[in-house]
Amino acid sequence: KSDVSDLKTDVKQNKTDISELKEEVSQKNSEIDSRLENLSKVKVSGDILLQNIDYQKTAQDVDDYQNVQVRIGFNAKPTDKVEADFQYVAYDRELDSNNDVNQRINGPSKSTFGRARGENKVEVAKVKVNKVFNDNDYIQAGRDFMTHGHALVINDYADAVTYSTKAGDINITGNVIFADYDNGLNPNKKGQQIWNVNADVDVKGHNIYAGLYQQNTKEYHDVTYNANGEIIDSAVHYKDRSKQVAELGSSGKITKDGKVKYDVAMVASTNERKNMYNEGKKDKATGYLGHAA
């Protein structure tokens, strides 16, 4: 009887040990799943571009240039509503031998391929939050590639704060774009905000869009560079510049089978400013840009 009792006790203890072991394994599996899930929320991408440009066939290969570009990017989604993107680009770009302005401002530098300009920059660095006030909106801040419609007005990387939502079938997007429209060469031209609102809608197979842009600039400077690309002189060219741009476009099917399509767009702009080279008189100009296909 004592042996049977001891055996029962051992069996009971083994069951307890097995139960505890199963619980520990379950916890470990849960931790592994959590870590794998976190890893799956971060994606890394990249590419390498090797480019050879030969403007003119010559025996000396004097017009033969090589460019190297390396990109690496990260995409993270810590939650269902938040995502972040980052893309860094490093490239070694040859300078045109006839482009004295680039050589003066940027300067030649040593590289594997001889005289070249090596640049490193962040092309994309943005954070996007989805479903802020409703299921169809988002807020985004940072640098991203921006384009709209037929890309007649916006078609470049830019720093911006964006809010986008939907009113019925109409997509409405508002942007505050922080424009550096002189590639950072003239510090007097930095930070000229562009206020923009876009509306896009699909109507029976036709994509119709419109955009309005407003930019105000207090001062615009003409500058003089020295041999090292440093600004040594600056003069105010104009003050109180106000620029408005409106765009309207549409694309869609002409025939029901979609074999014949159309694509049209129109941009109109007005530009008014006080010209300091003309006794402070106001200059005003209007312009139009069209696209049809």
Side-chain angles (χ1 to χ4, degrees):
K1 289 184 179 180
S2 177
D3 292 340
V4 172
S5 178
D6 292 342
L7 183 59
K8 287 182 178 181
T9 302
D10 291 341
V11 170
K12 186 176 180 181
Q13 182 62 42
N14 288 337
K15 287 183 178 180
T16 303
D17 293 341
I18 291 172
S19 177
E20 292 177 353
L21 182 61
K22 285 182 177 180
E23 186 176 351
E24 290 180 6
V25 171
S26 177
Q27 290 178 352
K28 291 294 183 182
N29 287 336
S30 178
E31 291 177 6
I32 293 172
D33 290 341
S34 178
R35 291 178 181 179
L36 290 175
E37 184 180 356
N38 290 333
L39 286 174
S40 66
K41 292 179 180 179
V42 179
K43 296 181 180 179
V44 181
S45 62
D47 56 43
I48 299 176
L49 172 66
L50 305 176
Q51 185 180 43
N52 183 79
I53 302 173
D54 193 354
Y55 294 110
Q56 181 180 355
K57 293 292 183 180
T58 62
Q60 295 81 15
D61 290 332
V62 294
D63 290 319
D64 194 12
Y65 300 97
Q66 291 81 28
N67 299 333
V68 180
Q69 175 181 277
V70 179
R71 293 189 302 182
I72 184 169
F74 301 90
N75 174 265
K77 293 184 178 180
T79 69
D80 293 337
K81 294 178 62 175
V82 180
E83 61 180 296
D85 288 284
F86 178 86
Q87 180 171 288
Y88 178 79
V89 180
Y91 56 93
D92 196 13
R93 184 174 62 192
E94 291 282 352
L95 288 174
D96 187 341
S97 60
N98 295 319
N99 195 333
D100 294 332
V101 175
N102 272 343
Q103 292 186 46
R104 182 178 70 251
I105 295 175
N106 301 293
S109 62
K110 302 281 187 177
S111 77
T112 306
F113 303 109
R115 180 176 51 78
R117 181 175 65 182
E119 290 186 271
N120 304 311
K121 64 179 180 179
V122 176
E123 285 188 337
V124 176
K126 64 177 181 179
V127 176
K128 184 178 181 181
V129 181
N130 297 298
K131 300 180 181 180
V132 181
F133 301 110
N134 56 65
D135 291 338
N136 298 310
D137 73 345
Y138 69 84
I139 293 177
Q140 179 176 296
R143 177 169 298 178
D144 195 11
F145 183 80
M146 300 189 68
T147 185
H148 182 241
H150 297 81
L152 297 180
V153 180
I154 293 181
N155 187 33
D156 201 356
Y157 291 94
D159 298 323
V161 176
T162 299
Y163 176 73
S164 182
T165 188
K166 200 166 184 177
D169 295 330
I170 303 175
N171 293 305
I172 301 174
T173 302
N175 294 301
V176 181
I177 304 169
F178 300 89
D180 177 4
Y181 55 92
D182 196 33
N183 298 318
L185 303 180
N186 186 349
N188 298 308
K189 300 180 185 179
K190 289 185 177 181
Q192 307 297 329
Q193 289 86 354
I194 299 173
W195 302 87
N196 160 238
V197 60
N198 299 322
D200 302 77
V201 64
D202 289 326
V203 181
K204 296 181 178 180
H206 302 272
N207 178 251
I208 304 171
Y209 76 90
L212 296 173
Y213 305 81
Q214 171 73 40
Q215 184 182 39
N216 297 316
T217 306
K218 292 182 179 180
E219 290 186 350
Y220 181 97
H221 295 247
D222 285 335
V223 297
T224 303
Y225 299 93
N226 62 15
N228 296 322
E230 300 169 340
I231 297 176
I232 58 175
D233 190 23
S234 176
V236 179
H237 185 175
Y238 60 74
K239 290 184 176 183
D240 303 329
R241 174 181 178 239
S242 177
K243 186 175 183 179
Q244 298 84 32
V245 177
E247 60 178 346
L248 179 64
S250 178
S251 62
K253 301 176 182 179
I254 296 178
T255 59
K256 291 183 178 181
D257 57 11
K259 292 183 178 180
V260 182
K261 300 178 181 180
Y262 75 94
D263 192 340
V264 296
M266 175 65 71
V267 174
S269 67
T270 61
N271 189 348
E272 188 173 359
R273 65 190 188 185
K274 187 184 293 184
N275 193 332
M276 305 310 294
Y277 292 165
N278 190 21
E279 299 179 355
K281 294 181 180 179
K282 284 192 174 183
D283 296 335
K284 187 173 183 179
T286 58
Y288 301 92
L289 179 65
H291 163 80

